[in-house]
Amino acid sequence: MTDLVGESRAIEHIRGMIRRLRGPCSTTLIQGETGTGKEVVALMLHRNSTRAKAPLVAVNCAAIPETLIEGELFGYEKGAFSSANHAHPGKFRLADKGTLFLDEVGELSAAAQAKILRSLESGEVFPLGSTKAVRVDVRVVAATNRDLAGEVEKGNFRADLYYRLAVIQLLVPPLRDRREDIVPIARALLKRICLEIGVAVPALSKGLLAALEGHGWPGNVREMRNALEHAVVVAMDPDRLDVDDLPPTIGIGPVPSESFPPGTERETLLRALARAKGKKAEAARMLNCSRMTLYRRLERARVDDAEDFADVTPVTASDGALSHPAAAAHWPAALTR
């Protein structure tokens, strides 16, 4: 299960569930926010099952128009409708003996839900234009970024289909709830990106890793992949990625000022600016970082031009801020001169 990267308890639990589900063909519902890696979990469920040698057929339920869903899923005979110039087996039959992955299942219309439920209950499909049912043997894995139980209560999703799909339930938590997975995932993504682009894998600076770990990742793994690809493409030094190579939105978020205890990044920024008499270019030089990096850290720490730097004690050699865990990785010895 090398594609399922992470060291958190949540990921270890999912790995354990995948191992236990190797033989059973129970329908499985994977839930999680957009970009958390639900597709990877579905792939691992298939690869580590007794059906691994048979096809894995994926269907993006949100991308199929309502008028085409029945033909796409269940197939059709030649001449079933005006543009049916040849027969089509449909996704259920293409996945026979294997796994059918229904991605974004929460986006299905009420009519499509009813048709899928009928096939799950009977183990048969009726191709359009045919009067005979066709038996199918598929393991169904569904995924959604919606709270399907909540959608059932609202009347937006059929309760009987929900219980058919949710025999086994897996939850993939967002990155913000498993920050210990951020660096391992970043390194794995970086290797994949560099392989696709055809460049050597660069080193990652401590500042960049700290920015990754501090970001909220509303887009989860998908957002991280985009950020790392951006960094690889625009990096000034192809052998080493730094925080300046990341998109400007990474590392900036709604962090309240009161969350910075004495001796952490905010205080260090204020003291550097006090020593530089408010001159940001000089403060950036003292901190051994670019002005862009300084501006991003100032915004993240909510330090603005209204701060009275003259009332802040400049950093000294005995200042404990540099030894604080939240700041030690960022600020060089230049501040203690």
Side-chain angles (χ1 to χ4, degrees):
M1 283 178 271
T2 56
D3 287 327
L4 194 58
V5 179
E7 302 170 353
S8 64
R9 291 181 62 183
I11 294 301
E12 285 299 330
H13 171 73
I14 292 173
R15 288 196 187 101
M17 288 293 289
I18 290 173
R19 284 190 288 267
R20 290 195 288 275
L21 293 172
R22 184 178 185 276
C25 297
S26 303
T27 54
T28 303
L29 178 63
I30 307 168
Q31 297 187 88
E33 293 181 6
T34 298
T36 50
K38 299 184 292 295
E39 302 91 341
V40 175
V41 175
L43 178 61
M44 292 299 98
L45 281 167
H46 176 71
R47 284 184 178 175
N48 291 275
S49 73
T50 54
R51 296 172 176 257
K53 294 182 180 180
L56 167 64
V57 178
V59 181
N60 186 342
C61 298
I64 304 176
E66 171 63 22
T67 54
L68 302 179
I69 188 74
E70 190 170 3
E72 282 295 311
L73 291 176
F74 310 126
Y76 50 81
E77 299 296 329
K78 182 179 179 180
F81 45 88
S82 59
S83 59
N85 298 320
H86 56 81
H88 174 59
K91 303 298 186 182
F92 268 86
R93 281 195 284 173
L94 288 173
D96 192 40
K97 309 300 182 186
T99 302
L100 179 66
F101 176 43
L102 299 176
D103 197 13
E104 304 295 351
V105 72
E107 309 304 316
L108 287 171
S109 67
Q113 291 175 36
K115 293 167 184 175
I116 289 176
L117 175 64
R118 182 187 63 193
S119 292
L120 292 179
E121 290 178 334
S122 65
E124 298 176 338
V125 296
F126 277 88
L128 293 175
S130 174
T131 58
K132 295 182 179 179
V134 179
R135 294 289 301 177
V136 289
D137 175 17
V138 297
R139 177 192 192 180
V140 174
V141 176
T144 181
N145 58 8
R146 293 177 178 266
D147 174 12
L148 278 197
E151 294 298 305
V152 169
E153 291 182 1
K154 296 174 185 177
N156 297 331
F157 200 85
R158 293 181 63 114
D160 44 7
L161 178 57
Y162 170 71
Y163 291 118
R164 277 282 176 181
L165 294 175
V167 176
I168 305 295
Q169 299 184 49
L170 297 176
L171 175 64
V172 186
L175 276 181
R176 63 180 176 274
D177 292 342
R178 48 186 177 106
R179 293 193 176 275
E180 61 269 44
D181 292 340
I182 289 176
V183 172
I185 290 173
R187 295 191 186 281
L189 288 173
L190 184 63
K191 290 179 181 178
R192 192 172 305 169
I193 291 166
C194 292
L195 180 64
E196 292 173 0
I197 296 177
V199 298
V201 180
L204 301 177
S205 71
K206 290 183 178 179
L208 181 141
L209 292 175
L212 295 181
E213 291 181 314
H215 188 58
W217 300 114
N220 293 292
V221 179
R222 193 169 299 153
E223 181 189 4
M224 183 188 290
R225 192 195 191 287
N226 292 344
L228 289 170
E229 184 172 345
H230 177 280
V232 170
V233 172
V234 307
M236 295 294 292
D237 182 355
D239 298 322
R240 183 175 183 271
L241 299 186
D242 205 349
V243 65
D244 290 339
D245 300 320
L246 292 170
T249 54
I250 303 301
I252 296 176
V255 183
S257 298
E258 57 267 27
S259 67
F260 290 88
T264 58
E265 182 178 43
R266 190 170 195 276
E267 183 174 328
T268 304
L269 286 166
L270 288 172
R271 293 191 179 191
L273 286 165
R275 181 164 182 172
K277 298 180 180 179
K279 297 178 181 178
K280 293 177 181 176
E282 176 64 14
R285 186 194 65 77
M286 292 167 56
L287 294 171
N288 194 26
C289 68
S290 69
R291 274 188 287 181
M292 180 62 72
T293 297
L294 178 66
Y295 293 148
R296 291 168 65 179
R297 285 171 170 165
L298 290 173
E299 184 171 352
R300 182 172 62 195
R302 289 193 173 181
V303 176
D304 55 40
D305 293 333
E307 295 280 3
D308 186 2
F309 306 122
D311 292 339
V312 179
T313 304
V315 77
T316 65
S318 60
D319 195 332
L322 293 175
S323 62
H324 192 281
H330 305 291
W331 311 117
L335 279 174
T336 64
R337 295 185 190 138

